[in-house]
Amino acid sequence: MTQVFDINAVVGGLLRDLAFAQTLQPKMFGYKRAAAAVLALDTPLTELIAAEGALPKIAGIGPGSARVIQEALETGESATVERAIDASGNRADIERRRTLRVNFLSRAAVLRVLRDPSIAEPTLTDYGGDLQMHSEWSDGSPTVEEIARACEARGYAYAAITDHSYGLKIAGGMSMQEAADQRQAINRANGGANAFRLLQGIEANIGADGQLDLTPDEACTFEVVLAAPHSRLRRAEDQTERLIIAVHNPAVRILAHPRGRITGSRAGVVADWRRVFATAAGFGVAIEIDGDPARQDLDYVLARSALAAGCLFALDSDAHATDQLAYAETAIAHARLAGIPADRIVNYWPLDRLLNWLADPQSEIPGSKQETPCQ
Ligand SMILES: [Zn+2]
């Protein structure tokens, strides 16, 4: 089983601890920025220091953060951070946050896993395209056209724009009229001579009862329906039924960011994942690995049990800006660590196989009970 030692994640975590031990807001934000800077580095701190003989200048890293880095490199922990936590009276909350950042990868660790020659697949070069991205039609910033060209520039054969559906008002969910207008924009983006194909998807919201915020007829107007939880993500009670009802929905093809966890902040949905994965496997519903660095949901450890259950996977960026398309690489790194063969990942299929599965999961899961509601 592949183990990950990730010095930048260790240091990033300590700097976040230090941020939550501050009483003055500017200092708190300063250490949060320092943590983000370390987590976004392409190179492990150990290599940076070995190459230069000392910690090089890094934007966002001041003397206080540099001391934490030095201590972490020498001992794996930081006496400075521990003293600050004790002085803050905030230890219980900070310890809770520590438990909520397991199996998160720094950018440097993602790049190392992508280059690791001992892992054959899935590769970055064979990735066919991203199936979760947000545009100006909900809470993203880019236009449809900008997304299409950015995906093409990354060498994708296809991709799906998956703005939020109308039930998620807080994320600017699209009305069905807006979705029809967006379809025109997608058709225009597909109008050129190039082979790249943009699909119109939707990220439907899973309600407390497991139902989606789309009627079956509405769901049928989209080429790919993702279902994702966005509420009740900080509760201790079991929500297995909620997710199983969503997976049963005949329109759903991808269960997106299945837990809804956020690094160092919330654990997300508590569920019997073996039951959720077994149901998804039987219905031909793909389990997403969401590559947003703050989500990483599923992570490689939980993804291994989804693989053992026989699930299909989708590896997506969840980008809300075109420079976030690289978040797909985080998802690919988790899939490599989980040992998922490319053939089990829908983003690695040629377009015709992907479209066949979207139209009818029984093309991949013979005998699956999923009806095909959209004819
Ligand atoms: Zn979402």
Side-chain angles (χ1 to χ4, degrees):
M1 188 174 286
T2 314
Q3 291 298 328
V4 180
F5 178 70
D6 186 350
I7 184 65
N8 291 11
V10 170
V11 169
L14 287 168
L15 291 172
R16 283 185 66 88
D17 292 345
L18 194 52
F20 288 109
Q22 304 303 312
T23 43
L24 298 175
Q25 279 227 335
K27 287 196 125 187
M28 184 183 82
F29 288 129
Y31 285 119
K32 278 191 175 179
R33 269 197 303 277
V38 168
L39 292 170
L41 288 172
D42 285 348
T43 311
L45 286 162
T46 39
E47 280 178 35
L48 279 179
I49 290 168
E52 313 222 359
L55 183 67
K57 274 221 154 319
I58 300 167
I61 302 289
S65 300
R67 187 179 328 118
V68 172
I69 292 171
Q70 205 58 49
E71 290 173 355
L73 290 173
E74 283 163 12
T75 66
E77 43 199 57
S78 164
T80 302
V81 171
E82 297 308 319
R83 275 194 304 274
I85 295 173
D86 286 332
S88 73
N90 236 356
R91 179 165 287 280
D93 180 56
I94 291 170
E95 295 285 356
R96 179 189 66 84
R97 291 178 179 279
R98 282 179 168 171
T99 66
L100 297 177
R101 56 176 192 241
V102 290
N103 307 327
F104 280 92
L105 303 174
S106 71
R107 175 72 180 159
V110 166
L111 294 176
R112 190 183 60 204
V113 170
L114 290 178
R115 286 192 296 258
D116 185 339
S118 71
I119 308 173
E121 58 180 331
T123 65
L124 184 53
T125 40
D126 291 343
Y127 183 68
D130 202 329
L131 300 176
Q132 189 189 165
M133 299 178 298
H134 299 264
S135 76
E136 61 174 354
W137 291 86
S138 69
D139 59 349
S141 53
T143 65
V144 163
E145 180 68 22
E146 285 165 349
I147 290 178
R149 302 293 79 89
C151 287
E152 257 189 319
R154 289 180 63 85
Y156 298 170
Y158 51 78
I161 292 186
T162 57
D163 279 302
H164 293 282
S165 50
Y166 54 79
L168 203 62
K169 299 272 184 296
I170 194 170
M174 282 191 299
S175 68
M176 290 310 293
Q177 180 56 51
E178 287 169 325
D181 295 342
Q182 186 198 46
R183 168 72 72 167
Q184 301 303 316
I186 289 174
N187 289 346
R188 281 194 296 277
N190 282 331
N194 33 22
F196 174 79
R197 168 84 178 272
L198 194 59
L199 306 177
Q200 188 185 31
I202 189 86
E203 183 182 356
N205 185 46
I206 303 176
D209 56 1
Q211 301 296 329
L212 302 190
D213 59 341
L214 288 177
T215 67
D217 284 348
E218 289 168 347
C220 282
T221 66
F222 299 97
E223 289 165 289
V224 51
V225 176
L226 283 58
H230 298 97
S231 62
R232 305 166 80 87
L233 305 176
R234 294 176 184 270
R235 300 198 176 205
E237 78 253 24
D238 180 278
Q239 300 189 58
T240 307
E241 284 313 313
R242 178 189 184 193
L243 295 181
I244 284 185
I245 289 168
V247 166
H248 269 261
N249 188 305
V252 172
R253 292 293 174 276
I254 297 173
L255 181 62
H257 54 74
R259 282 174 294 182
R261 72 169 186 166
I262 296 291
T263 175
S265 168
R266 68 177 189 227
V269 168
V270 173
D272 179 347
W273 291 104
R274 279 194 306 191
R275 280 187 58 213
V276 175
F277 296 152
T279 308
F283 282 75
V285 170
I287 298 294
E288 185 182 67
I289 298 180
D290 186 308
D292 180 326
R295 291 189 179 275
Q296 306 194 29
D297 180 16
L298 306 182
D299 61 70
Y300 61 96
V301 173
L302 196 51
R304 285 177 189 141
S305 32
L307 179 65
C311 288
L312 297 171
F313 292 86
L315 310 186
D316 303 326
S317 70
D318 199 353
H320 289 65
T322 50
D323 63 358
Q324 295 174 357
L325 290 175
Y327 291 173
E329 296 164 17
T330 310
I332 295 169
H334 278 278
R336 287 168 68 83
L337 290 171
I340 303 170
D343 189 62
R344 302 299 296 165
I345 306 170
V346 300
N347 316 67
Y348 283 77
W349 296 346
L351 180 62
D352 55 353
R353 183 174 172 192
L354 178 71
L355 293 175
N356 280 341
W357 168 72
L358 290 172
D360 181 4
Q362 297 196 42
S363 66
E364 293 295 330
I365 312 289
S368 76
K369 293 193 181 64
Q370 183 123 20
E371 312 142 50
T372 51
C374 306
Q375 298 295 344

